[in-house]
Structure formats: C-alpha cells, structure tokens
C-alpha cells in the first residue's frame, strides 16, 4: 500500500507517518503544492498512491484545492470513479461548511484532529483496505 500524508504540522505529519508505516510505503508533504507534486510524479510514473490523508488547512495550496485538482486530473485521464484515489480529509476545524465542501468535491472520508488512532484505522478499513495498524 502506498500512502501520501499532506499535513503542514510537523508533529502531526511525523505521528501519522509512524502510525501508517506498518500499512506500507508512506510519503509526506508539508503543504498542498508539495502534495500535488508527489501526486503528479506518481501518476507520471504509473505508481499512483493507494490512499491520501489530506489536511484541509495548509499553506500555499489548501486541502480543498488539492482535492479539486486531483479529481480533475483523474477525470482528465479517464479514471473511473470506482478507481479514483481514496482521500481522507483531516482537520481540526469544526465548521461543517468545510467538511460539506470536501464531500461535494469528492473526498471519501473525514477524520477530525487530533486524530484518534482507532478512528483513523476504522476510516481506512471502511474504504476497503485490510490494514492492521
């Protein structure tokens, strides 16, 4: 399993990377622009990610814009909806408008921060991954 974590907070990034490492290869991006670079590089090399954990509030390009760009790239490349990159949006923001917008743009799941490990594992399993973290 190949996972990308896009998170601007260094401690959260490190924590999530260590937690998800048993599930497979983990890359980390510290902002939305870097996340898009990782995703485009993976697509170019036909080594797409299996899961993206995406913070909503990030510098340069926020998570909602990253989500929108990823879904547009998939549509442009003819990726069927059932094969798109599963995206879990993560945020400490309690405002439902951001979460609603994320689902409108095509996210697959949501996890509130601080992330509860059991909750994240259940969210990942709900997306069809058989993981033991």
């Amino acid at each position: 399993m190949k996972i990308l974590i896009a998170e601007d907070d260094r401690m959260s990034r490190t924590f999530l990377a260590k937690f998800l490492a048993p599930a497979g290869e983990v890359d980390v991006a510290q902002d939305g622009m870097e996340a898009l670079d990782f995703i485009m590089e993976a697509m170019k090399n036909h080594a797409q990610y299996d899961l993206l954990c995406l913070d909503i509030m990030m510098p340069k390009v926020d998570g909602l814009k990253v989500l929108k760009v990823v879904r547009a790239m998939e549509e442009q490349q003819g990726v069927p909806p059932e094969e798109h990159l599963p995206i879990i949006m993560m945020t400490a923001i309690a405002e439902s408008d951001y979460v609603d917008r994320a689902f409108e743009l095509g996210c697959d799941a949501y996890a509130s921060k601080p992330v509860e490990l059991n909750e994240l594992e259940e969210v990942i399993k709900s997306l069809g991954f058989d993981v033991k973290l």
Side-chain angles (χ1 to χ4, degrees):
M1 183 170 181
K2 188 174 175 184
I3 303 166
L4 176 60
I5 298 167
E7 168 64 62
D8 63 321
D9 180 71
R10 185 182 54 82
M11 288 181 60
S12 295
R13 215 174 33 244
T14 302
F15 172 77
L16 285 169
K18 285 182 181 179
F19 175 70
L20 293 172
E25 177 187 340
V26 178
D27 290 327
V28 293
Q30 56 189 333
D31 60 54
M33 186 61 74
E34 189 175 21
L36 287 171
D37 287 344
F38 272 108
I39 292 164
M40 287 189 281
E41 185 70 21
M43 286 179 161
K44 184 176 96 177
N45 294 324
H46 304 287
Q48 287 88 339
Y49 287 96
D50 299 302
L51 179 65
L52 171 58
C53 296
L54 182 60
D55 186 16
I56 288 180
M57 294 303 217
M58 290 186 295
K60 297 184 182 176
V61 178
D62 69 36
L64 292 176
K65 288 180 184 155
V66 171
L67 172 61
K68 189 175 183 177
V69 168
V70 168
R71 293 299 183 236
M73 287 189 310
E74 289 173 335
E75 186 176 329
Q76 185 180 35
Q77 292 185 358
V79 176
E82 64 275 5
E83 293 178 20
H84 74 222
L85 172 62
I87 299 176
I88 301 171
M89 300 301 290
M90 300 179 304
T91 187
I93 299 171
E95 292 186 34
S96 63
D97 291 347
Y98 287 102
V99 177
D100 292 344
R101 184 70 181 134
F103 279 105
E104 286 171 14
L105 292 171
C107 85
D108 298 283
Y110 165 79
S112 60
K113 292 184 346 186
V115 174
E116 295 285 332
L117 299 181
N118 292 340
E119 176 188 340
L120 183 59
E121 184 174 10
E122 288 305 312
V123 169
I124 293 170
K125 286 181 179 179
S126 76
L127 295 174
F129 295 103
D130 185 25
V131 294
K132 280 234 188 232
L133 304 171

